Amino acid sequence: MDKIKRFITCNVPVAACNFRCSYCYLPQKGRAYTGKKANLPHSVEFVAKCFSKERLGGACHLNFCAPGETLLYSEIVPLVKVLAAEGHFCSIITNGILSSRFDEIVDTCTDEEKSRLFIKFSFHWMQLKEKNLFETFVANVNKMKNAGVSFTVEITPHDELVPYIDEIKEFSMKNFGALPHITVARNERTKDIAFLTKYSREEYRKIWSQFDSTLFDFKFAVFGVRRNEFCRAGELTLNLDLGSGDYCQCFCGAFLGNIYDLSKPVNFRPIGRCRLPHCFNAHGYISLGAIQKLDDSIKIPTYAEERDRLCADGSHWLQPVYREFLSHHAWENAPAIPCEEQKHRIASSGMYIFFSKIRHLPLRIKRKLFRKK
């Protein structure tokens, strides 16, 4: 059985979407829905070579997410198919509406490849209601379940949804066999990346904890709490841009290299100490292995615990192979870093990030100007 070696977030270059959700992070960052969809710069076969298990050190959890709708990327299914065949486990974040893409998964992927695929269905209730797309959404969820593809159904909790909670629960039990998982909505316009809500912290917790979601419970527990533990993001996790191939340690970390440059090994370098106000994506980075231990009062769940549901009929949202893979943390399969070495890496991390930014400043400016065109 494969054991998780690393978690890699692959940012898909699509700034187009068929939804307009009020809580979307795209407009929060001042980025318009430009409609841009950059092509994969290389063949899927070349990309698979760049992402080989040998090069990455083992089987990785590769998460594909676009600023817009991920499945609008024309090459996404052929790409995850070849990476699953390579031995990796691939997740796709989607609003679940593009039925032709799910048909493509069913028609082109082998059973073994399907066992290594995971679909995170973002359950955008208000948009589905306004566009009369509930039936399409449910059909695609069931299409993946029947095909042996793992999935989860997740809601971004926002204030306008509160009056519909009872209706959402009833709908979910009827159509998904379980309640949806709940994430935490954030306001990226604020310096401290605060909750996106009018409610107090305790009111917010009380409203959304009724879904009994491990995902929500963990994200809420660490949300707004600055992390001071030794973080192995950059070593056991990476943040990668699929369009350019550039990868960095984390959202706040240093540029490390380019995955498409086969003349160089992948540069795995832990960030050491987080520079963000808090780890707003702790459910991915920490649960999958960037930090081994938090405060004794907080148990770090596995990603399987955050994503799976046991349905009323005894079935699971995660299929056995994927559930086992996500039931472990990446640090379990990596050598321990002694305390003295941790201190040394933390001390040197700031200078590394500073010089990395200076060294790659011309390239960053060039790409920023290109995005504005």
Side-chain angles (χ1 to χ4, degrees):
M1 181 66 70
D2 286 306
K3 295 183 178 180
I4 183 170
K5 184 64 178 181
R6 291 185 168 87
F7 166 53
I8 303 178
T9 296
C10 301
N11 302 307
V12 180
V14 172
C17 191
N18 46 3
F19 279 5
R20 291 293 184 272
C21 302
S22 62
Y23 43 84
C24 182
Y25 304 126
L26 203 62
Q28 283 185 22
K29 293 182 177 180
R31 294 181 295 180
Y33 294 96
T34 63
K36 288 184 178 179
K37 292 180 284 185
N39 293 325
L40 195 66
H42 304 281
S43 68
V44 293
E45 292 77 17
F46 178 82
V47 174
K49 189 175 181 180
C50 297
F51 280 79
S52 70
K53 286 176 68 176
E54 180 182 3
R55 194 162 186 245
L56 295 179
C60 297
H61 179 55
L62 307 176
N63 181 66
F64 294 87
C65 181
E69 167 50 39
T70 311
L71 289 183
L72 287 172
Y73 198 57
S74 60
E75 295 154 303
I76 189 66
V77 175
L79 180 59
V80 297
K81 174 180 167 62
V82 74
L83 291 173
E86 169 63 24
H88 296 301
F89 290 73
C90 303
S91 66
I92 300 173
I93 297 178
T94 173
N95 61 28
I97 298 306
L98 298 178
S99 300
S100 61
R101 286 287 187 264
F102 299 108
D103 290 336
E104 189 178 354
I105 290 173
V106 172
D107 294 339
T108 65
C109 294
T110 66
D111 288 344
E112 184 175 353
E113 290 162 357
K114 290 172 187 173
S115 73
R116 293 172 177 270
L117 297 183
F118 168 71
I119 308 295
K120 198 217 83 174
F121 285 96
S122 296
F123 192 16
H124 300 298
W125 178 271
M126 297 304 296
Q127 286 289 290
L128 294 171
K129 190 179 186 70
E130 291 172 12
K131 298 177 183 293
N132 194 27
L133 288 171
F134 282 123
E135 186 176 333
T136 300
F137 185 85
V138 171
N140 288 329
V141 171
N142 287 326
K143 188 180 297 180
M144 292 298 93
K145 182 176 184 177
N146 295 334
V149 175
S150 297
F151 72 93
T152 196
V153 180
E154 176 193 301
I155 279 183
T156 299
H158 54 109
D159 295 350
E160 64 181 334
L161 207 57
V162 173
Y164 299 95
I165 286 179
D166 289 340
E167 189 178 344
I168 291 169
K169 285 182 175 181
E170 182 180 356
F171 181 94
S172 299
M173 292 301 298
K174 177 182 177 181
N175 292 286
F176 313 133
L179 296 177
H181 276 298
I182 308 295
T183 183
V184 171
R186 64 183 185 269
N187 187 350
E188 295 198 349
R189 293 188 178 97
T190 58
K191 186 177 181 180
D192 58 348
I193 317 177
F195 286 111
L196 183 64
T197 182
K198 67 181 180 183
Y199 297 103
S200 68
R201 185 181 180 100
E202 181 54 30
E203 289 171 332
Y204 190 78
R205 184 201 64 77
K206 186 176 181 180
I207 290 169
W208 297 107
S209 62
Q210 61 185 289
F211 283 84
D212 193 26
S213 169
T214 303
L215 173 66
F216 176 79
D217 292 343
F218 179 63
K219 289 198 71 171
F220 183 86
V222 300
F223 200 92
V225 181
R226 191 174 189 89
R227 301 265 56 96
N228 294 309
E229 301 86 358
F230 185 77
C231 181
R232 297 177 76 168
E235 176 201 0
L236 301 182
T237 74
L238 292 176
N239 191 337
L240 184 146
D241 184 89
L242 198 62
S244 66
D246 291 345
Y247 60 92
C248 57
Q249 293 168 311
C250 187
F251 299 103
C252 64
F255 171 87
L256 295 176
N258 191 288
I259 198 72
Y260 299 140
D261 185 355
L262 288 174
S263 67
K264 299 177 182 177
V266 181
N267 180 18
F268 298 114
R269 182 187 178 96
I271 193 170
R273 185 64 52 80
C274 183
R275 286 165 173 77
L276 289 170
H278 59 99
C279 186
F280 53 81
N281 273 335
H283 69 289
Y285 282 84
I286 296 180
S287 291
L288 284 165
I291 295 177
Q292 184 168 343
K293 184 177 175 56
L294 301 178
D295 183 270
D296 289 338
S297 64
I298 302 175
K299 174 186 176 294
I300 300 176
T302 66
Y303 201 67
E305 291 173 320
E306 294 178 334
R307 292 305 187 187
D308 196 20
R309 285 288 200 191
L310 176 62
C311 300
D313 63 1
S315 64
H316 284 264
W317 284 0
L318 296 186
Q319 299 296 330
V321 172
Y322 220 124
R323 186 166 69 249
E324 170 60 25
F325 183 74
L326 293 181
S327 293
H328 301 275
H329 310 282
W331 54 260
E332 297 175 31
N333 307 308
I337 299 178
C339 289
E340 286 304 314
E341 186 177 347
Q342 289 183 18
K343 293 177 183 178
H344 171 72
R345 295 195 183 208
I346 289 173
S348 63
S349 179
M351 293 302 293
Y352 184 87
I353 291 175
F354 174 77
F355 285 112
S356 174
K357 288 181 178 179
I358 295 297
R359 186 165 65 252
H360 298 98
L361 184 61
L363 181 61
R364 290 167 59 216
I365 292 174
K366 181 179 179 181
R367 287 181 177 154
K368 186 174 182 180
L369 291 173
F370 175 78
R371 286 196 297 268
K372 288 183 177 181
K373 291 181 180 180

